Amino acid sequence: MYPHAAPTERPPMDLHGSFHVYDTTLRDGAQQEGLNLSVADKLSIARQLDGLGVGYIEGGWPGANPKDTEFFRRAREELDLRHARLAAFGATRRAGVRAADDPLVAALRDSGAGVVTLVAKSHDRHVELALRTTLEENLAMVRDTVSHLRAEGQTVFLDAEHFFDGYRANRAYALEVLRTAAEAGAEVVALCDTNGGMLPDWVSDVVLDVIETTGTRVGIHAHNDSGCAVANSLAAVAAGATHVQGCINGYGERTGNADLVTVVANLELKLDRAVLPQGLLREATRIAHAVAEVTNVPPASRQPYVGTSAFAHKAGLHASAIKVDPNLYQHMDPLDIGNDMRLLVSDMAGRASIELKGKELGYDLSQDRELVTRVTERVKELEQRGYTFEAADASFELLLAEEVEGTRPSFVDVESWRVITETRTDGEAVSEATVKLRAEGVRYVVTGEGNGPVNALDAALREAIGQAFPEVAKFELIDYKVRILDQGHGTDAITRVLIETSDGESSWVTVGVGANVIEASWGALLDGLTFGLRRHHR
């Protein structure tokens, strides 16, 4: 068993009473540059977050923008949450206006959300410069708004904005804001590191002081500007906070919010804190990637716990140790978070890496030392020429099959190919490719057009092979990357191309290397179609 792993059986827990896992992806996370969520997107993400088992989902700011108002309206009709409660976010009433008469407070009251999270100023300079009111009126705004919403039957949390900076500037006033909210009925006061500049020891000291001085229930809302959002959240919990806010995948303004999955995984797997319903942490990798698909923000491969590289091993030394015991180079069992170990094949690979990768692909190489040595040397020689197999598993599988079976998998015999690019009188550039090959005993000569030479070559090759193997029609090129190697050689430089192909159910990556981008693309395209056909014909 991995050290610090969570016990398999844990006592029942009260998710909404003992510890709060509060997700703010739909509100604070949506402030990330380049991230724009529709109402349908937000509903989809809310369902995913509920599947993770978070206790609260902050849906947005009703009344402040039409999209969030619409979200709460549709949520009442379309969301059937099993684990989470929906929270509406908003501000305390305006200065000089009763909470009962403030239209934005009314929007919170009418949102249908059972929980309201109010943001309030806790930094004296922000009160005077941003709100342009007195410190006394700010306290009245907190007291009046919390009391009003509590009287309407809603649970109220308070986000103390800029709390840590305010605490440094005027500790007495920052604490008074918290006391006022708690006395008015706020269940939690969340201390916000709004500028993200705190460090873990500083957070611990402040949280301890707040709890000892005020006796309130404390939460933490950390931003990542100092790279410490997760560490600051954990420090706050260690100091007594029982409510933690964050965003899935660490989304958020500037450098983002605390990555909620990383925080929760550390609490459950390292500290044995039961903060999610039992078994749901295993859904975290799937859900993190599913949310990334909705946001159209590519998942970070090196994201802790759920990244595709989180348990990837490249060095031969690591592979040798993992062959004996996976615990030796992994801090936990990746299955506990729904991830998996990956072995990368590269010029750093040793015999153990090749043997383990072969086993992963269905080949038992343990009894053939000569074959393993041959494959290892061939990988190193090809990578010296510019190939990369750690990012192109499909090309490595074709190489391994060739060495094991004695011949490279192939469904066609290519006779020749060529590409011509011309600029027409109207200024439009058009590429034309011709491919000649034999498949299933028939010779095909096919010409394809495209908006570039690689596009034309792909069209011609796909049509030629597709006449013999109709399933090729399902294959689609979904990603294309070019890298120039040995750039000092100028136009003589070696080119490497990585192509990702999908059949609608899964995808695979192949690599091509050549003296120019077209030659490199041809190799990757042909390998991509060959691998797909091999998979379909097994």
Side-chain angles (χ1 to χ4, degrees):
M1 185 175 178
Y2 282 75
H4 311 300
T8 54
E9 293 296 332
R10 298 183 296 195
M13 56 182 292
D14 174 7
L15 281 175
H16 306 301
S18 59
F19 193 94
H20 294 174
V21 176
Y22 183 107
D23 183 275
T24 181
T25 301
L26 303 184
R27 200 272 307 173
D28 218 1
Q31 295 185 51
Q32 176 168 310
E33 184 177 6
L35 200 159
N36 185 27
L37 300 178
S38 67
V39 174
D41 291 338
K42 296 180 72 165
L43 291 167
S44 175
I45 292 172
R47 294 185 186 98
Q48 295 289 352
L49 295 171
D50 185 55
L52 182 61
V54 303
Y56 298 89
I57 298 171
E58 189 174 87
W61 192 330
N65 67 73
K67 185 187 296 183
D68 284 358
T69 302
E70 175 70 5
F71 168 79
F72 281 95
R73 185 192 67 77
R74 289 182 58 180
R76 290 195 296 271
E77 302 170 359
E78 301 176 31
L79 282 186
D80 182 19
L81 301 178
R82 297 178 56 222
H83 304 288
R85 296 176 68 187
L86 205 58
F89 180 87
T92 55
R93 66 162 173 81
R94 291 171 296 168
V97 177
R98 290 194 321 143
D101 299 329
D102 190 309
L104 287 179
V105 174
L108 296 171
R109 189 178 61 231
D110 300 337
S111 66
V115 179
V116 172
T117 298
L118 290 173
V119 61
K121 299 294 186 184
S122 56
H123 190 314
D124 55 358
R125 282 178 55 79
H126 279 264
V127 172
E128 294 169 340
L129 298 179
L131 292 183
R132 297 183 180 181
T133 191
T134 66
L135 301 185
E136 293 75 15
E137 174 64 6
N138 182 56
L139 294 175
M141 291 157 63
V142 171
R143 183 183 303 108
D144 186 20
T145 312
V146 173
S147 299
H148 173 70
L149 293 174
R150 289 291 293 119
E152 293 293 322
Q154 290 174 295
T155 298
V156 178
F157 301 154
L158 186 90
D159 275 2
E161 189 182 33
H162 294 284
F163 178 81
F164 292 94
D165 297 326
Y167 176 95
R168 284 177 168 175
N170 186 339
R171 172 181 175 275
Y173 185 74
L175 293 176
E176 189 59 30
V177 172
L178 305 185
R179 285 196 195 93
T180 299
E183 290 170 359
E187 182 176 318
V188 174
V189 289
L191 313 183
C192 299
D193 183 19
T194 309
N195 291 341
M198 293 295 287
L199 297 179
D201 286 349
W202 304 348
V203 169
S204 294
D205 291 344
V206 174
V207 171
L208 282 169
D209 183 38
V210 168
I211 293 174
E212 290 174 359
T213 305
T214 68
T216 58
R217 180 173 185 173
V218 169
I220 182 69
H221 177 109
H223 285 255
N224 202 40
D225 298 73
S226 62
C228 293
V230 169
N232 287 341
S233 299
L234 295 172
V237 172
T242 57
H243 169 112
V244 64
Q245 298 187 8
C247 297
I248 197 163
N249 296 328
Y251 297 140
E253 197 170 23
R254 304 186 311 276
T255 59
N257 291 48
D259 186 329
L260 198 63
V261 169
T262 305
V263 173
V264 166
N266 283 327
L267 290 172
E268 292 228 346
L269 300 174
K270 305 297 185 181
L271 301 175
D272 291 346
R273 297 284 298 266
V275 298
L276 294 179
Q278 188 164 349
L280 291 189
L281 187 61
R282 287 176 175 261
E283 300 296 316
T285 298
R286 176 188 64 79
I287 288 171
H289 293 186
V291 172
E293 288 296 318
V294 177
T295 62
N296 201 30
V297 176
S301 63
R302 295 192 294 169
Q303 186 176 350
Y305 288 106
V306 300
T308 57
S309 298
F311 301 95
H313 302 278
K314 180 174 179 179
L317 179 63
H318 287 210
S320 297
I322 285 170
K323 185 178 176 183
V324 178
D325 182 357
N327 290 15
L328 294 175
Y329 273 97
Q330 293 185 160
H331 68 103
M332 56 162 286
D333 186 342
L335 293 178
D336 288 342
I337 197 78
N339 208 338
D340 202 359
M341 180 177 71
R342 293 172 57 235
L343 291 165
L344 308 179
V345 176
S346 73
D347 60 352
M348 296 179 66
R351 295 171 47 83
S353 295
I354 299 298
E355 191 174 323
L356 286 169
K357 189 66 179 179
K359 184 178 180 181
E360 184 182 304
L361 297 174
Y363 294 97
D364 183 3
L365 309 180
S366 59
Q367 305 304 313
D368 196 335
R369 293 179 59 83
E370 182 182 344
L371 174 61
V372 172
T373 299
R374 192 166 67 245
V375 172
T376 303
E377 293 303 316
R378 188 171 174 196
V379 166
K380 292 184 177 182
E381 186 269 330
L382 286 171
E383 294 226 343
Q384 182 69 24
R385 287 163 46 190
Y387 285 82
T388 178
F389 292 103
E390 66 178 270
D393 273 2
S395 285
F396 174 74
E397 184 171 336
L398 294 177
L399 180 154
L400 184 60
E402 179 181 357
E403 292 293 340
V404 172
E405 300 165 12
T407 181
R408 190 170 183 82
S410 178
F411 292 84
V412 299
D413 293 318
V414 178
E415 187 178 309
S416 66
W417 59 270
R418 68 179 181 183
V419 181
I420 299 172
T421 298
E422 63 177 0
T423 302
R424 295 175 176 171
T425 54
D426 60 1
E428 182 184 7
V430 177
S431 294
E432 179 182 283
T434 301
V435 173
K436 301 177 183 180
L437 56 80
R438 287 186 174 274
E440 299 288 87
V442 180
R443 183 173 185 263
Y444 297 98
V445 179
V446 174
T447 298
E449 285 190 339
N451 57 12
V454 175
N455 183 230
L457 199 57
D458 179 46
L461 178 60
R462 191 182 304 275
E463 184 179 343
I465 296 179
Q467 294 184 54
F469 301 101
E471 58 267 41
V472 166
K474 299 178 181 178
F475 300 171
E476 180 184 5
L477 193 158
I478 60 174
D479 198 11
Y480 178 86
K481 296 184 177 74
V482 180
R483 183 173 178 186
I484 306 300
L485 309 174
D486 300 325
Q487 295 184 17
H489 288 247
T491 55
D492 258 4
I494 298 297
T495 303
R496 179 167 68 213
V497 168
L498 290 171
I499 286 178
E500 185 173 4
T501 307
S502 172
D503 60 2
E505 298 177 3
S506 62
S507 65
W508 53 92
V509 179
T510 50
V511 60
V513 172
N516 56 67
V517 68
I518 302 174
E519 183 182 339
S521 299
W522 169 263
L525 285 169
L526 186 58
D527 267 9
L529 295 177
T530 300
F531 181 87
L533 286 172
R534 185 169 186 266
R535 173 177 287 184
H536 279 257
H537 282 259
R538 279 180 176 174

